Amino acid sequence: MKGNEILKKAYFTEIKGVKILHIKGKPYEMGYQHGYLLADKIDLMINRTLLATTAYVASQTGSNLEKAEEILWMGQKAAEPFLPQEFKEEMIGIADGVKDAGVDITLDQILLWNTNYDQWCIYCHPNYWKSDNQVDNKRDFQPSKVIKPASGGCSSFCAWGEWAGGDGKLIFGKNEDNFNMPEQLSNRMLVVASPDGGIGHAFLTYPGMIGLDGGINADGLVMMTQLNSMKHESMKGCGIAIFTRLLLTHARTINDTVNICQQY
């Protein structure tokens, strides 16, 4: 009965080919709605897409699949202490919702999946092993064995005024084609979130992920991350999706965003 009451606040629909998830309530409730309504799609992300990330990391690091999976779990464990409680509760809700929908996915798998983008960003460039990333120098990667990927990056735009069309209000656009792992592009979705303790907001993501890399909130704050690879990278901190949701949920001004970034 409790689950039914939570689910009444949410729905999943598709409009002109765009998948849209509406979630509402406390962090756990929003996570439960997400998990229950998209359980079958989350199953695909965990058991197909995440495995492709493992294969990608194996290729980038010259490791076998078993070692690459260990690397990913090390990254998740390094990031977990920095996870704000509200988003930990949302991930717990996702895991519970998936379970109640009859799909065998664990909280640990949800936690790992939610570091997927951060880990992909670290391993998509050739200098990650020179940092304190995850393992505190327990690994000795050989750069000569690593294949450098083609160049690429994120993109987004803002437009406003009469020339932009419509009524001249702000238009925010971004692509979501930087991932092409199995099942991923066909499951891109827009999430419209109405949190009890924050600002209503919308963002693009994938099933089982509480966020990705940008969005817009009801107070007109627009944000998008841009990849800027550095020699020294670490999973010890808040990830891209976490900052996305922190800013969209709690920031009404640019000063708010600066304060949140400094705090976390």
Side-chain angles (χ1 to χ4, degrees), residues 159-172:
W160 59 92
E162 183 179 355
W163 65 271
D167 58 6
K169 291 184 178 180
L170 175 70
I171 298 171
F172 170 62

Side-chain angles (χ1 to χ4, degrees), residues 55-219:
Y56 174 79
V57 171
S59 174
Q60 288 295 96
T61 60
S63 306
N64 58 31
L65 288 174
E66 182 179 357
K67 184 64 178 179
E69 183 178 11
E70 179 185 344
I71 290 169
L72 289 176
W73 280 110
M74 287 178 178
Q76 186 275 314
K77 294 303 180 186
E80 188 172 351
F82 301 90
L83 182 60
Q85 184 61 31
E86 62 185 298
F87 300 121
K88 178 71 174 289
E89 291 174 6
E90 190 168 336
M91 292 184 203
I92 292 171
I94 291 175
D96 286 351
V98 171
K99 180 180 178 181
D100 287 354
V103 176
D104 186 20
I105 298 294
T106 67
L107 173 59
D108 281 344
Q109 288 174 308
I110 295 298
L111 289 167
L112 178 62
W113 174 232
N114 274 274
T115 67
N116 186 84
Y117 194 23
D118 303 295
Q119 305 217 53
W120 184 89
C121 286
I122 283 181
Y123 293 106
C124 75
H125 64 88
N127 293 316
Y128 52 81
W129 63 85
K130 297 181 182 297
S131 72
D132 65 349
N133 184 37
Q134 300 128 327
V135 292
D136 297 324
N137 299 320
K138 291 180 181 178
R139 289 177 287 132
D140 182 20
F141 291 125
Q142 300 179 41
S144 62
K145 292 185 177 181
V146 177
I147 300 173
K148 294 183 179 181
S151 61
C154 312
S155 66
S156 62
F157 72 87
C158 291
W160 59 92
E162 183 179 355
W163 65 271
D167 58 6
K169 291 184 178 180
L170 175 70
I171 298 171
F172 170 62
K174 67 183 295 291
N175 67 358
E176 202 68 272
D177 59 357
N178 53 334
F179 281 141
N180 192 19
M181 302 294 187
E183 308 295 342
Q184 200 157 24
L185 291 183
S186 61
N187 283 292
R188 290 171 292 183
M189 65 177 183
L190 174 70
V191 178
V192 180
S194 300
D196 284 355
I199 307 163
H201 55 280
F203 56 93
L204 296 172
T205 190
Y206 299 98
M209 280 188 178
I210 67 163
L212 197 64
D213 62 351
I216 186 168
N217 73 17
D219 276 20

Side-chain angles (χ1 to χ4, degrees), residues 3-17:
N4 290 337
E5 290 299 316
I6 293 175
L7 291 172
K8 287 180 180 178
K9 303 178 181 181
Y11 63 95
F12 181 68
T13 188
E14 187 169 327
I15 301 175
K16 296 183 178 181

